[in-house]
Amino acid sequence: MRPPELGFISVLHYACKYNAGLGVWMTDHWNAIRGHWQLLGPPLRPPAEAVEAYERELDLSKAHVILLGVTPELAGLGTTMMAVDESSDMIAGIWPGDTALRKAINGDWLDLPVSDASIDAVIGDGCLSALGLSTARRALFAAIAGVLRTGGRAGLRLFAGPETPDDPAAVRALALSGGVSTFHELKWRVAMTATGDAPDHAIPVRTIAERFDALFPDRKELSARTGWDLPTIGTIDVYRNSPAIYTFAPATALASEAEAFFGDVRIALTGSYGLAERCPLLVLRAPRH
């Protein structure tokens, strides 16, 4: 597969640079998260209504699908599926298991192990936020477009920040008043108060933990006011020493980036769960080969 140029840097060159640096860090980060997977919930993990949105928007019932990551809630989509994840621990820990019709492999999203223009559909859940740079997002869009056949489509559920970052004091007040549905929604809201400038809209994962500590120094108070148990609140501690970087770009910015690689780009709702308005499905069709 010969990726197109992105300014002075090609997708292939960027993939090598990414895997030699940040990719290793992200593997360690996800290996740590794997141990807390059962404590996670929406919006970090897709609820049933979000899973239904993939099927509704992409018509996956007869499709050969590539899944970016090993999100177990998405493992049943498509006629056949190949899931690709760089973390062997995540595959061993959360993938529901290979069958005759689905399998998970250790691999690189930017160098998918399939032929050009051979895949019906590519899906992913929050995968754009796992890439720390806008350059990496564009590289992923290029990789997806390259493997999709004519008529193929992709759907990526976003964790999209607002156009203007949230006010930290407002997020604290909302949580303590019972206005946040889950602790995992709160983690994303806290992160979205501190993202950097365009085009990356990035935040070091450890900064999310630091910002949380500053806003909610008394976890017992937070637990009492919200009903969230302390082990669930404690999942924030996985972020504390992580070298990873997340991005929370607005949905409009992500759609604009994707338009360089797809002729048909739109945003679809994924339900009414907490923070669903910031977790739409980015639907990509008409790949530019």
Side-chain angles (χ1 to χ4, degrees):
M1 178 177 175
R2 295 177 60 85
E5 292 289 326
L6 294 175
F8 67 91
I9 184 170
S10 72
V11 174
L12 183 60
H13 176 69
Y14 183 78
C16 294
K17 180 179 178 181
Y18 180 86
N19 289 336
L22 183 59
V24 174
W25 295 349
M26 289 300 291
T27 298
D28 292 342
H29 171 74
W30 284 105
N31 288 349
I33 285 179
R34 191 262 298 182
H36 295 79
W37 188 259
Q38 295 307 317
L39 293 174
L40 303 183
L44 274 68
R45 294 177 63 172
E49 57 187 318
V51 177
E52 291 168 1
Y54 284 91
E55 182 62 65
R56 180 182 68 247
E57 299 296 333
L58 301 172
D59 186 20
L60 299 175
S61 61
K62 297 181 181 180
H64 175 52
V65 177
I66 285 184
L67 169 62
L68 305 177
V70 286
T71 307
E73 291 85 351
L74 303 183
L77 297 178
T79 300
T80 60
M81 172 177 286
M82 175 192 294
V84 180
D85 199 294
E86 67 179 0
S87 168
S88 56
D89 277 11
M90 287 291 282
I91 294 172
I94 72 169
W95 179 246
D98 290 351
T99 70
L101 299 178
R102 73 180 184 213
K103 64 178 178 178
I105 66 169
N106 190 248
D108 182 351
W109 294 349
L110 303 185
D111 187 18
L112 294 167
V114 294
S115 301
D116 290 356
S118 64
I119 300 300
D120 297 321
V122 176
I123 61 175
D125 200 71
C127 54
L128 292 175
S129 286
L131 302 177
L133 297 170
S134 59
T135 310
R137 295 195 298 263
R138 293 195 299 274
L140 183 58
F141 287 135
I144 293 170
V147 300
L148 287 177
R149 64 173 178 78
T150 301
R153 59 275 190 204
L156 308 175
R157 191 170 69 106
L158 306 179
F159 299 138
E163 297 290 341
T164 301
D166 292 327
D167 176 64
V171 170
R172 173 178 165 81
L174 184 68
L176 294 180
S177 67
V180 178
S181 62
T182 69
F183 177 68
H184 313 295
E185 176 187 342
L186 178 62
K187 282 191 287 193
W188 272 184
R189 287 187 179 276
V190 169
M192 291 173 186
T193 69
T195 53
D197 295 333
D200 296 334
H201 301 278
I203 179 170
V205 168
R206 62 165 60 95
T207 301
I208 302 174
E210 293 166 358
R211 179 59 64 95
F212 171 78
D213 288 342
L215 289 175
F216 302 97
D218 188 339
R219 295 188 182 187
K220 290 184 179 179
E221 177 193 20
L222 180 61
S223 177
R225 297 280 288 270
T226 62
W228 302 329
D229 60 60
L230 289 173
T232 297
I233 295 173
T235 60
I236 192 71
D237 293 327
V238 175
Y239 292 3
R240 195 162 311 285
N241 297 312
S242 174
I245 298 171
Y246 283 168
T247 59
F248 295 93
T252 52
L254 295 170
S256 179
E257 290 174 0
E259 286 171 352
F261 306 96
F262 296 89
D264 183 357
V265 176
R266 67 186 187 85
I267 295 170
L269 298 178
T270 62
S272 58
Y273 54 95
L275 212 65
E277 71 279 5
R278 298 188 188 179
C279 303
L281 194 66
L282 184 64
V283 180
L284 311 171
R285 295 180 182 270
R288 303 185 193 277
H289 292 137

